[in-house]
Amino acid sequence: MFSKLKILFTFQINTLDIAKFMFRYHNNLLPPFFLDLFMTNSQVHRYDTRTAGNYRVHSCRTNIKKFTILYQGPRVWNCLPASITNLSSFSTFKNKVLEFLLK
């Protein structure tokens, strides 16, 4: 019923907001406070890998930390297809993520 009406579940709304935050981070549209929040895999090790451009997911000892932006941000961003993450327009990005989540 939700997909017919194109309405997102609560979990999907949260995922959309995290994706929008990560888009702003990826394109340097956030305040300077957030500049060093995430690292890519290529910043951790200097050799080429398939996932060199992906953001590194912070390790978690507790289940509570898995709900923070430090864990969820890279996880959500890395799950999006490259055709979406390479977009430069925020409104186009938002619409494509909505389509992706409703599938």
Side-chain angles (χ1 to χ4, degrees), residues 1-9 12-13 16 94-103:
M1 184 169 156
F2 280 96
S3 60
K4 284 183 185 179
L5 297 173
K6 296 186 178 182
I7 297 174
L8 298 176
F9 290 106
Q12 291 172 322
I13 293 170
L16 176 64
K94 189 173 90 170
N95 291 335
K96 292 292 183 181
V97 172
L98 275 170
E99 288 176 18
F100 180 76
L101 291 174
L102 287 172
K103 286 183 181 178

Side-chain angles (χ1 to χ4, degrees), residues 20-72:
K20 291 191 301 188
F21 178 85
M22 290 302 293
F23 176 85
R24 290 183 183 118
Y25 178 83
H26 186 73
N27 292 305
N28 296 320
L29 300 173
L30 291 174
F33 175 76
F34 296 106
L35 286 179
D36 296 329
L37 197 58
F38 305 107
M39 293 176 53
T40 60
N41 288 334
S42 63
Q43 292 172 322
V44 175
H45 41 76
R46 301 290 176 212
Y47 48 89
D48 267 349
T49 62
R50 286 178 282 172
T51 61
N54 286 355
Y55 285 104
R56 191 158 182 89
V57 178
H58 284 252
S59 61
C60 299
R61 278 188 328 114
T62 63
N63 202 22
I64 293 172
K65 191 172 179 184
K66 287 186 179 180
F67 295 104
T68 65
I69 193 71
L70 293 176
Y71 180 82
Q72 291 292 325

